[in-house]
Structures are given as C-alpha cells and as structure tokens.
C-alpha cells in the first residue's frame, strides 16, 4: 500500500523515504559549500526554495530532498557540480554527520504550528502518498501527539532551536516572509553572501509570489527535477491558500485551548515560541 507510513527511529516517514536511505544518511558526503533548506513539512519550503533558485548569480542547483528515494540517492547527488541547495524535513539529530562536521549553511524555515497543522491536514487529504484521515478533529489529535510524518512539530522545532546560536544556521519565519518579504530576502542573501540589487529583489518578489508559483505549478507539474518535499512529486498539491491565520477557520474554541496549553507547556523556554506567539 503506497500510502502506508513507516517508522524509523520513532518517527513516521512516507514510503518515498526508504529505510535504507534513512539508514545510510551518515554516508552522505557533504561539501563545505552545501546549503541545506530545512523545515517541518508545510512551513513554506517550496517558497524559500523558489526564492533561493531565483537569486541571480547564486550559481546553485536545487536538488531533490536528501531523504527521498533509495540508496542510489547519494551517487545522484554527487553528479551536481554547482553549489548544491538540498531540501530536507529531517530533524537535527538525523542530519548527516558530515553536514555538521563541515558546518554547512542551513536555512531553517518555521511557521506558526496552527497554520502548519491545517496545511498538513489538507496535504494528508490530497496527497496519495499519505494516509487518509477522515476529520480535522482526528488529524489534530495525531498532530498534537506527533503521530504524523516527520513526527512532532514541537520536537522538530525545539531540536533545531538548540542550535540557534550556531553561525551556520539561519532561522526564517513564514509569517515574516509574508509581512516583510524584502527583509527576509535580505537575510537570506546576506547569509549566503550574495549581493542582490533592489530591482533584482523586486523581480524575485514577483516571481515567487503565491499566485505566480501556483500558476507555474500547473505548467511544470511533475517535473521530476523539481521535487522539494519528500512527500510528493506533484507540485499542484502544494499551493493551497498561502495565507497567515487560516487556522481560525478550523479550530474550535476547545481545540484552541488544548493547543495553546500544549504550546505553552512545550515552548515555555523557547525563543522561537515567543516569536510565534502573536500568530496563535
Ligand atoms: P497552505 O496549505 O496554508 O496554503 P511547504 O512548501 O513546506 O510544503 O509549505 C506549503 C505551504 O506554503 C502551503 O500553505 C502553501 O500554500 C504555502 N506557500 C507555498 N508557496 C507560497 C508562496 N509563494 N507564498 C506564500 N505561501 C506559499
């Protein structure tokens, strides 16, 4: 059954990530100039990937996710001669050891977990690689328990936040990208040491707007060279609403209370949690 998930190191993965690829992550040979694009699913990974791809003179190749596929994966990644930008939804713990040793640059994208949960609910509904969960209420329960692909949102974010002072890691918020795109873009280009003019910046903004990306997805659908999330090769599944605060249309007052209590408990010492508070 294609949509069955499997557990590896206590975390759920889709069948698109084979156990052998997960087992062999530490055999991946990182290059010093690799850039990793990391996120919990549905945090805006495709958006940031598109932004990075559209930076002129970046000289990069966006690869498919490191945890997608089988063991031939690592040979395939060796073929790229340009600077690689490698997306992944892996936890910090599972990241290949050479990436940590070589202190590769890492962009971690974070989004408020209520919108992330709603977005993931629809991904489960629409994505044939994920099991079908009948109701929002049932899905939310799984989400809060961490019984969803890539595990608990809280564990993912907190695991990465432990490394927030590492100089090679940049944290980017989905909500800030929406509100102050130029500011987020500047953070990204500065982090990658790439100069971008103001006119180039506004071109990037146009090319990576939600509507442009959604329209392009229809045209370039299923381009096997453009897979960013290890959960789908169908880009049409990705561009749903693209807004901040859609959760309000799904959470009952009771669900909000339960969520807020858990968030308060899990995130009580978290700076990222404090940054996200205004969106909850
Ligand atoms: P919604 O389901 O809330 O619409 P990921 O790329 O990590 O899978 O995240 C997908 C989410 O990012 C979806 O959220 C999608 O609509 C949103 N998204 C994708 N491209 C976007 C863009 N250019 N601007 C704003 N949101 C975008």
């Amino acid at each position: 059954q294609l949509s069955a998930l499997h557990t590896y190191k206590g975390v759920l993965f889709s069948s698109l990530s084979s156990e052998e690829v997960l087992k062999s992550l530490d055999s991946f040979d990182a290059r010093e100039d690799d850039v990793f694009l990391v996120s919990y699913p549905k945090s805006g990974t495709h958006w940031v990937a598109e932004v990075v791809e559209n930076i002129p003179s970046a000289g990069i190749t966006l690869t498919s996710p490191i945890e997608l596929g089988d063991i031939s994966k690592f040979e395939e990644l060796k073929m790229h001669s340009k600077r690689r930008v490698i997306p992944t939804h892996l936890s910090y713990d599972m990241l290949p050891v050479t990436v940590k040793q070589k202190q590769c640059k890492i962009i971690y994208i974070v989004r408020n977990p209520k919108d992330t949960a709603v977005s993931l609910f629809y991904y489960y509904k629409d994505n044939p690689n994920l099991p079908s969960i009948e109701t929002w209420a049932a899905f939310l329960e799984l989400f809060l328990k961490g019984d969803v692909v890539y595990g608990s949102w809280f564990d993912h974010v907190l695991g990465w936040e432990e490394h927030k002072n590492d100089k090679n890691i940049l944290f980017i918020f989905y909500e800030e990208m929406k509100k102050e795109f130029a500011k987020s873009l500047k953070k990204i280009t500065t982090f990658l040491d790439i100069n971008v003019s103001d006119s180039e910046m506004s071109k990037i903004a146009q090319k990576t707007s939600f509507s442009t990306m959604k329209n392009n997805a229809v045209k370039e659908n299923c381009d096997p060279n453009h897979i960013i999330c290890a959960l789908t090769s169908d880009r049409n599944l990705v561009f749903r609403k693209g807004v901040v605060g859609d959760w309000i249309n799904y959470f009952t007052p009771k669900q909000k209370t339960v969520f807020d209590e858990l968030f308060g408990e899990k995130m009580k010492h978290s700076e990222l949690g404090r940054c996200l508070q205004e969106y909850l």
Side-chain angles (χ1 to χ4, degrees), residues 44-182:
T45 330
H46 289 77
W47 189 11
V48 177
E50 193 83 3
V51 167
V52 173
E53 266 197 305
N54 275 287
I55 299 173
S57 72
I60 56 108
T61 305
L62 186 67
T63 76
S64 65
I66 192 158
E67 72 273 29
L68 172 68
D70 57 29
I71 204 73
S72 63
K73 175 81 207 188
F74 302 123
E75 287 305 314
E76 182 195 310
L77 285 173
K78 278 187 197 160
M79 313 284 264
H80 298 289
S81 52
K82 287 191 193 162
R83 183 179 198 184
R84 301 178 296 192
V85 175
I86 307 173
T88 183
H89 293 313
L90 292 176
S91 64
Y92 185 88
D93 287 343
M94 284 191 67
L95 201 71
V97 65
T98 52
V99 179
K100 297 169 189 168
Q101 284 164 350
K102 297 200 172 160
Q103 301 187 330
C104 300
K105 287 190 179 175
I106 295 169
I107 301 174
Y108 186 83
I109 308 138
V110 56
R111 183 184 194 184
N112 85 72
K114 285 181 182 160
D115 285 342
T116 305
V118 170
S119 184
L120 191 56
F121 171 60
Y122 277 98
Y123 213 37
Y124 262 68
K125 265 184 159 349
D126 300 339
N127 189 335
N129 300 313
L130 295 171
S132 56
I133 310 290
E134 285 302 311
T135 64
W136 159 246
F139 178 81
L140 183 60
E141 248 179 65
L142 294 177
F143 184 87
L144 292 178
K145 282 192 288 192
D147 287 341
V148 289
V149 267
Y150 294 100
S152 151
W153 179 90
F154 299 101
D155 293 348
H156 203 280
V157 169
L158 291 171
W160 277 96
E161 185 172 18
E162 280 180 32
H163 303 275
K164 70 170 188 289
N165 294 325
D166 295 7
K167 284 196 181 57
N168 59 318
I169 308 186
L170 173 71
F171 286 86
I172 288 286
F173 290 88
Y174 179 93
E175 289 77 15
E176 188 183 272
M177 291 248 297
K178 287 290 289 188
K179 199 160 63 183
E180 293 178 275
F181 182 79

Side-chain angles (χ1 to χ4, degrees), residues 14-15 27 45 55 72 88 92 115 117 128 135 140-141 178 194 201 212 217 232 238-239 242 247 262:
S14 90
S15 58
S27 74
T45 330
I55 299 173
S72 63
T88 183
Y92 185 88
D115 285 342
T135 64
L140 183 60
E141 248 179 65
K178 287 290 289 188
I194 305 167
M201 298 247 286
T212 305
T232 189
V238 174
F239 307 97
W247 65 267
L262 187 67

Side-chain angles (χ1 to χ4, degrees), residues 8-55:
Y8 183 76
K9 292 193 177 169
V11 172
L12 290 171
F13 287 90
S14 90
S15 58
L16 299 182
S17 293
S18 65
E19 191 179 332
E20 37 159 16
V21 97
L22 297 172
K23 268 188 184 152
S24 336
L25 284 166
D26 279 338
S27 74
F28 170 74
D29 201 4
R31 299 179 192 154
E32 245 149 58
D33 69 346
D34 282 337
V35 179
F36 275 77
L37 212 57
V38 187
S39 58
Y40 188 82
K42 314 320 291 171
S43 303
T45 330
H46 289 77
W47 189 11
V48 177
E50 193 83 3
V51 167
V52 173
E53 266 197 305
N54 275 287
I55 299 173

